[in-house]
């Protein structure tokens, strides 16, 4: 039961504000559904160590070493060095490693090497991640350059044009291979005539051994075997309480995929998961999104357990029921449109548990599966996460952020009135229709855009949503109250792409993350081509003014048409030019201004979530009779508990 003193906002450290999310409607689920959620949640939490290891080969050792120091009672906890270690460890927990969760640059500690070395000599060596025969000093010599030297493995995902993206990225998907070798390895696997190509490389580490490049699969008999076996155990428990045979079938396929590492089985699982729209409970569990790989091939492990928000789902059902109309009226070339839109399904859901790459920072909407041929033939499944967006909205209320960057009182009024509704609707359009729209031309490699593919795909989905949120069709369908509401979304989106998202970037850095690049690309391209949108400098600060929203929509249509062409034709050079010209570089003076305006608000630019603690309630015979939701766990307690209860990799 939710406590009376529930607060959305919780602890804050570094550039992060921790939030809590409520499990709205959980009490109305049946005991069987609650058990289903609980078992799936256990499977979700057991994947944590995989994500840590994927995000950097030293992450697990560093985390375990720091946790041993942090919990050692012989070390003085009241020194500045120890307090700095606590902040650094919280950042490591938050980012699943030593690299910023959004910018991918390595963050450095504020404590000294001397302090950490001395502290490690105090700790019981049995609690340290020592290799066989390794001394404490040898552990320090191995890990300290990675922690303290800004030049050693400085970036988890490098996307800088012209560099070897594999050799210069610290993510643990490749070992001893170059970008050219990796691309050649997977190019040799592909058959241009295969109508059902698997997602080559999705579930493996690519290594070079004795001069030979080879894959090491992630499976219950391969890499990450111990963790995957724990995940399988809880998935098997979930099968016992699944709501229907469709769920039992696709969970069985997922288990088989984990056991074999066979990507064709993963495709079968994805199709059956996609087809299953029965039941209140659903989940994501596996190697899914490829944003953490500079070549956009390998899937980071993630987990999400969810149940349907029935009332809010009425909105997404309206959208999905009209999917063919949206596809037919899209401003893209007819060659790139789907003649028949298949399997578009969308739900608004409540998250019940976050894990892996979805924790502590999480998405607000998801569209899967990612394979283009599955999307074209079977469609896609979209979710918008209502209790996560609720938490963001509640926590930001009264922060003063909007007023600091928007001086137009009329626009502030529009945003106050329609902003949250339009944000949710744009997310729905992005996930439900945007990602599922359009088609590749025959013979086009789904990976043709290489490192630019993620940014182009996110831009395509955002542009689709922006184009249609201004359409009278949405008023006709009852999704928006009038023809003016969309202006709030246009203004805040452009402002974010041009200015406000820059609060997340350190001075001197460029834009790296795919979603940020996408927003910058759209906003900057529109600003360059628009007559009715401009920056005006008043009292020394930039203010965005949009006087012609119809013109802006026309520009969005033009850019959508071009981005879809790039995607459909696999035009790598056009993708590279568009991203490099509009999405990467930052105006130094504007950036400094934005950071100064934001600093005055004393806000944290990033938000993350503390999971609820799901606790089984048993009767006198040990039978589970209920699942209790506890919101009282602190961030530190949760992270240490997860390391103890779900730590499966050494």
């Amino acid at each position: 039961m939710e406590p009376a003193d529930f607060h959305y906002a919780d602890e804050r450290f570094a550039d992060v504000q921790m939030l809590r999310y409520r499990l709205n409607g959980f009490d109305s689920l049946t005991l069987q559904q609650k058990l289903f959620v609980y078992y799936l949640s256990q499977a979700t939490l057991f994947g944590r160590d995989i994500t840590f290891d994927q995000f950097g080969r030293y992450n697990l050792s560093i985390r375990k070493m720091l946790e041993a120091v942090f919990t050692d009672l012989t070390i003085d906890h009241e020194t500045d060095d120890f307090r700095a270690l606590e902040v650094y460890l919280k950042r490591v927990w938050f980012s699943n490693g030593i690299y910023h969760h959004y910018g991918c640059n390595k963050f450095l500690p504020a404590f000294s090497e001397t302090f950490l070395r001395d502290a490690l000599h105090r700790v019981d060596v049995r609690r340290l991640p020592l290799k066989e025969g390794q001394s404490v000093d040898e552990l320090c010599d191995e890990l300290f350059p990675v922690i303290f030297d800004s030049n050693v493995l400085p970036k988890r995902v490098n996307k800088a044009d012209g560099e070897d993206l594999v050799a210069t990225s610290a993510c643990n998907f490749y070992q001893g291979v170059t970008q050219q070798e990796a691309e050649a390895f997977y190019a040799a696997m592909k058959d241009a005539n295969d109508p059902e190509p698997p997602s080559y490389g999705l579930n493996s580490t690519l290594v070079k051994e004795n001069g030979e490049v080879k894959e090491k699969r992630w499976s219950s008999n391969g890499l990450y075997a111990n963790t995957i076996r724990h995940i399988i155990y809880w998935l098997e428990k979930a099968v016992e309480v699944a709501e229907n045979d469709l769920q039992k079938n696709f969970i069985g396929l997922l288990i088989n995929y984990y056991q074999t590492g066979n990507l064709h089985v993963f495709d079968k699982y994805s199709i059956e998961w996609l087809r299953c729209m029965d039941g209140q409970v659903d989940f994501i569990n596996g190697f899914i999104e490829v944003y953490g790989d500079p070549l956009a091939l390998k899937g980071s492990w993630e987990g999400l357990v969810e149940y349907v928000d029935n009332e809010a789902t009425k909105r997404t059902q309206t959208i999905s029921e009209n999917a063919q109309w949206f596809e037919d009226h899209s401003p893209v070339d007819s060659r790139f449109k789907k003649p028949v839109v298949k399997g578009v399904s969308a739900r608004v859901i409540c998250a019940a548990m976050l894990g892996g790459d979805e924790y502590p920072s999480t998405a607000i909407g998801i569209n899967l599966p990612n394979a283009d041929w599955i999307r074209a033939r079977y469609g896609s499944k979209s979710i918008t996460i209502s209790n996560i967006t609720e938490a963001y909205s509640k926590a930001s209320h009264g922060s003063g952020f909007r007023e600091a960057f928007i001086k137009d009182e009329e626009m502030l009024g529009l945003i106050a009135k329609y902003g949250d509704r339009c944000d949710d609707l744009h997310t729905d359009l992005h996930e439900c229709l945007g990602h599922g729209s359009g088609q590749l031309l025959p013979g086009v490699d789904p990976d043709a855009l290489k490192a630019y593919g993620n940014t182009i795909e996110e831009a395509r989905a955002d542009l689709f949503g922006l184009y249609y949120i201004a359409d009278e069709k949405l008023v006709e369908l009852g999704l928006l109250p009038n023809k003016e509401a969309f202006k709030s979304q246009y203004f805040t989106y452009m402002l974010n792409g041009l200015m406000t998202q820059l609060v997340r970037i350190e001075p001197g850095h460029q834009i790296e993350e795919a979603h940020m690049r996408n927003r910058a690309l759209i906003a900057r391209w529109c600003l360059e081509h628009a007559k009715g949108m401009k920056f005006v400098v008043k009292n020394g600060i930039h203010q965005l003014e949009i006087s012609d929203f119809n013109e802006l929509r026309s520009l969005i249509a033009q850019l959508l048409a071009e981005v879809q062409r790039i995607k459909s034709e696999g035009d790598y050079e056009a993708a590279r030019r568009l991203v490099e010209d509009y999405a990467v570089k930052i105006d130094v003076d504007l950036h400094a201004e934005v950071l100064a305006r934001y600093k005055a608000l004393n806000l944290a630019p990033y938000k993350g979530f503390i999971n609820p603690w799901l606790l089984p309630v048993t009767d006198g015979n040990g039978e589970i009779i209920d699942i209790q939701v506890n919101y009282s766990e602190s961030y530190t307690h949760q992270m240490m508990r997860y390391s103890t209860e779900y730590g499966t990799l050494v």
Side-chain angles (χ1 to χ4, degrees):
M1 181 176 294
E2 178 187 323
D5 60 348
F6 180 92
H7 296 289
Y8 288 96
D10 203 85
E11 179 179 355
R12 178 176 169 181
F13 55 90
D15 58 356
V16 172
Q17 173 81 62
M18 298 306 300
L19 306 178
R20 297 184 187 274
Y21 60 97
R22 299 188 305 178
L23 270 57
N24 302 317
F26 184 81
D27 286 343
S28 65
L29 298 179
T30 66
L31 175 59
Q32 180 183 350
Q33 290 168 334
K34 289 180 180 179
L35 286 171
F36 196 25
V37 168
Y38 174 70
Y39 294 145
L40 291 172
S41 295
Q42 291 294 97
T44 291
L45 295 175
F46 265 110
R48 179 174 182 247
D49 275 6
I50 294 179
T51 308
F52 265 90
D53 190 70
Q54 289 179 323
F55 285 7
R57 64 184 300 182
Y58 299 100
N59 282 338
L60 281 172
S61 294
I62 291 171
R63 189 194 80 196
K64 292 176 181 180
M65 178 182 70
L66 294 172
E67 288 173 346
V69 173
F70 179 65
T71 55
D72 192 289
L73 298 180
T74 69
I75 298 170
D76 186 354
H77 289 201
E78 299 304 319
T79 66
D80 289 341
D81 273 323
F82 187 88
R83 294 188 188 98
L85 180 139
E86 181 177 4
V87 172
Y88 182 74
L89 177 55
K90 287 178 178 178
R91 298 189 73 184
V92 170
W93 286 332
F94 189 87
S95 297
N96 292 297
I98 63 173
Y99 300 94
H100 196 279
H101 74 288
Y102 216 76
C104 290
N105 292 296
K106 182 165 68 175
F107 46 83
L108 299 176
F111 54 85
S112 69
E113 294 186 43
T114 300
F115 161 77
L116 184 56
R117 188 179 291 266
D118 290 345
L120 288 168
H121 278 287
R122 291 173 176 263
V123 174
D124 185 338
V125 293
R126 292 172 297 182
R127 301 182 61 226
L128 295 176
L130 296 172
K131 301 172 185 175
E132 185 175 354
Q134 189 178 39
S135 69
V136 172
D137 282 324
E138 288 170 339
L139 177 69
C140 295
D141 293 342
E142 178 187 20
L143 298 182
F144 277 25
V146 182
I147 296 172
F148 292 100
D149 191 336
S150 60
N151 296 313
V152 175
L153 303 174
K155 185 174 291 188
R156 176 165 66 89
V157 183
N158 182 29
K159 296 183 178 180
D161 188 32
E163 297 185 11
D164 185 319
L165 303 185
V166 169
T168 58
S169 294
C171 57
N172 197 21
F173 295 125
Y174 305 94
Q175 295 175 8
V177 299
T178 65
Q179 178 179 350
Q180 184 178 10
E181 288 172 329
E183 290 177 342
F185 181 86
Y186 289 112
M189 285 186 171
K190 295 178 179 179
D191 178 358
N193 297 316
D194 186 354
E196 301 180 359
S199 301
Y200 292 108
L202 184 70
N203 64 335
S204 66
T205 302
L206 194 66
V207 303
K208 183 187 284 187
E209 294 181 347
N210 300 318
E212 181 184 357
V213 178
K214 61 178 67 174
E215 284 188 317
K216 291 189 174 182
R217 291 282 178 89
W218 309 326
S219 73
S220 62
N221 294 303
L223 291 184
Y224 304 135
N226 189 40
T227 301
I228 291 173
R229 288 169 190 161
H230 281 82
I231 294 171
I232 289 173
Y233 171 84
W234 288 103
L235 290 176
E236 289 174 339
K237 296 280 286 183
V239 170
E240 297 173 4
V241 293
E243 298 173 90
N244 55 62
D245 289 339
L246 291 174
Q247 291 173 334
K248 292 178 181 179
N249 181 44
F250 77 69
I251 296 174
L253 286 168
L254 177 58
I255 291 170
N256 182 249
Y257 163 61
Y258 271 137
Q259 292 169 333
T260 64
N262 188 321
L263 288 170
H264 292 289
V265 176
F266 177 70
D267 287 340
K268 291 178 182 178
Y269 151 74
S270 298
I271 293 167
E272 294 307 310
W273 172 81
L274 173 60
R275 285 173 168 165
C276 181
M277 289 299 294
D278 296 331
Q280 285 288 101
V281 179
D282 203 353
F283 71 100
I284 297 166
N285 187 296
F287 309 107
I288 309 294
E289 302 292 359
V290 296
Y291 299 104
D293 175 9
L295 301 187
L297 296 173
K298 302 192 173 296
S300 301
W301 192 93
E302 67 179 60
L304 169 68
V305 185
E306 66 196 58
Y307 57 95
V308 178
D309 181 335
N310 290 307
E311 183 60 32
T313 293
K314 294 176 183 178
R315 181 183 74 230
T316 55
Q317 286 178 336
T318 299
I319 293 172
S320 59
E321 287 167 359
N322 289 273
Q324 191 66 58
W325 185 92
F326 287 104
E327 183 78 0
D328 292 344
H329 290 80
S330 172
V332 307
D333 191 299
S334 59
R335 294 178 300 148
F336 311 140
K337 295 181 182 180
K338 289 179 177 175
V340 179
V341 177
K342 299 178 181 179
V344 174
S345 58
R347 286 176 166 180
V348 179
I349 59 96
C350 284
M353 193 62 63
L354 308 172
D357 200 16
E358 288 294 330
Y359 169 82
S361 176
T362 188
I364 59 174
I366 297 172
N367 178 276
L368 292 171
N370 287 326
D372 283 292
W373 71 268
I374 296 179
R375 287 178 181 275
R377 194 173 305 175
Y378 300 100
S380 61
K381 187 186 287 187
S382 299
I383 58 169
T384 303
I385 312 176
S386 63
N387 57 339
I388 295 297
T389 57
E390 174 191 55
Y392 279 129
S393 178
K394 297 286 188 182
S396 65
H397 182 71
S399 68
F401 180 78
R402 289 175 181 169
E403 292 78 6
F405 287 92
I406 304 172
K407 303 304 179 183
D408 184 331
E409 293 296 330
E410 182 179 353
M411 180 53 64
L412 282 170
L414 275 177
I415 295 169
K417 197 170 184 179
Y418 306 118
D420 288 347
R421 186 169 183 175
C422 284
D423 283 345
D424 288 343
L425 187 55
H426 183 253
T427 301
D428 293 339
L429 291 167
H430 172 111
E431 299 294 351
C432 178
L433 300 182
H435 281 307
S437 67
Q439 63 181 358
L440 300 180
L441 293 183
V444 172
D445 184 348
D447 301 319
L449 303 184
K450 300 180 182 179
Y452 299 104
N454 288 333
T455 298
I456 291 298
E457 176 57 24
E458 291 303 325
R460 194 176 70 90
D462 259 2
L463 286 163
F464 195 97
L466 288 170
Y467 178 75
Y468 277 115
I469 203 168
D471 201 289
E472 291 184 6
K473 183 72 171 180
L474 298 191
V475 179
E476 175 189 320
L477 293 173
L479 297 171
L480 285 180
N482 56 54
K483 299 177 183 178
E484 297 295 303
F486 83 92
K487 294 179 181 179
S488 68
Q489 182 67 18
Y490 271 27
F491 194 94
T492 54
Y493 188 96
M494 295 299 160
L495 182 68
N496 189 28
L498 293 169
M499 292 184 68
T500 54
Q501 72 171 2
L502 298 181
V503 304
R504 295 181 162 191
I505 298 177
E506 295 180 11
H509 289 193
Q510 296 184 336
I511 302 175
E512 298 280 354
E513 201 275 335
H515 297 80
M516 294 182 76
R517 283 187 167 189
N518 137 55
R519 292 189 287 266
L521 187 161
I522 292 170
R524 291 171 175 180
W525 188 92
C526 288
L527 181 67
E528 180 177 297
H529 292 83
K531 296 179 181 178
M533 181 172 76
K534 61 183 178 180
F535 271 136
V536 176
V537 180
K538 295 181 179 179
N539 299 320
I541 63 172
H542 285 74
Q543 296 179 29
L544 180 65
E545 292 186 359
I546 303 177
S547 58
D548 192 339
F549 286 90
N550 291 327
E551 178 205 37
L552 184 53
R553 189 187 185 215
S554 295
L555 290 173
I556 287 167
Q558 291 177 37
L559 186 55
L560 173 57
E562 172 60 6
V563 167
Q564 182 63 63
R565 183 199 66 78
I566 290 171
K567 171 85 173 182
S568 295
E569 295 181 350
D571 190 340
Y572 172 82
E573 282 303 320
R576 186 186 67 80
R577 288 195 302 270
L578 199 57
V579 173
E580 294 295 337
D581 287 350
Y582 293 99
V584 179
K585 299 177 179 62
I586 298 175
D587 181 284
V588 175
D589 294 334
L590 179 62
H591 191 197
E593 176 197 318
V594 169
L595 292 176
R597 291 164 70 177
Y598 187 75
K599 184 178 181 180
L601 298 173
N602 192 31
L603 299 174
Y606 297 99
K607 305 292 190 293
F609 291 91
I610 301 171
N611 277 326
W613 195 350
L614 301 184
L615 299 168
V617 179
T618 58
D619 62 13
N621 298 316
E623 291 292 319
I624 299 176
I625 58 174
D626 198 8
I627 300 296
Q628 181 188 76
V629 181
N630 187 303
Y631 297 106
S632 66
E633 190 172 28
S634 71
Y635 173 66
T636 296
H637 186 277
Q638 183 162 105
M639 289 298 183
M640 287 303 303
R641 180 171 66 85
Y642 284 3
S643 292
T644 300
E645 295 182 7
Y646 304 104
T648 54
L649 296 180
V650 294

